[in-house]
Amino acid sequence: MNYRTDSPEETHALGVKMGQAALPGQIYTLDGDLGAGKTVFAKGFAEGLGITEIVNSPTFTILQTYESGRMPLYHFDVYRIADPEEMDEIGYEDCFFGSGVTLVEWSELIEELIPPEAVRISITRVKGMEGNAREITIENGFSA
Ligand SMILES: Nc1ncnc2c1ncn2[C@@H]1O[C@H](COP(=O)(O)OP(=O)(O)OP(=O)(O)O)[C@@H](O)[C@H]1O
Ligand SMILES: [Mg+2]
């Protein structure tokens, strides 16, 4: 499934829809360059889950857990991970295989840990446009 958004608000809105549709135990991966819009999407997704806390990029902590929605959200940003073994130390399996929903920014860096059933989302800047256009590709799940 391919979407195009022309503003952060539109990417946020797509995240809200997907957060509303999310099911317990699902894993969503979010890939795309620095500044592509992964965290913008994640904030919308959290809103769609009913999360009321402020969602920030968890870059320096790798994992942020939000409990105020209709199920827990495990928000990973693995950009600064040096070795996938760090994921074990964080206890990622309890998140990936628990009854909350997991979002992983920069999942390509821990590809070997991503289960085949994960919903894969990539965000890319639309080429030839300096502005706000993004192409968002969703594989392995969800249609809206
Ligand atoms: N269509 C769009 N969708 C999402 N963000 C957009 C769009 N157009 C412009 N932007 C801007 O791009 C930036 C995206 O930042 P964001 O933190 O979401 O990126 P990121 O992919 O999480 O980057 P990082 O890898 O550094 O965490 C924001 O400043 C946002 O306002
Ligand atoms: Mg981010």
Side-chain angles (χ1 to χ4, degrees), residues 5 7-8 11 33-40 57 105-106 132 134:
T5 65
S7 67
T11 299
D33 292 342
L34 285 166
K38 301 181 291 297
T39 298
V40 167
S57 199
E105 296 192 37
W106 289 101
N132 294 339
R134 303 288 193 271

Side-chain angles (χ1 to χ4, degrees), residues 42-86:
K43 286 174 193 247
F45 191 92
E47 187 181 309
L49 283 171
I51 287 163
T52 53
E53 297 136 285
I54 292 170
V55 173
N56 285 307
S57 199
T59 297
F60 293 100
T61 51
I62 309 235
L63 169 64
Q64 289 278 357
T65 301
Y66 300 95
E67 308 265 12
S68 61
R70 63 188 167 83
M71 61 181 134
L73 172 64
Y74 306 110
H75 183 197
F76 289 84
D77 184 330
V78 301
Y79 185 66
R80 283 191 164 69
I81 248 173
D83 186 320
E85 274 184 26
E86 285 177 48

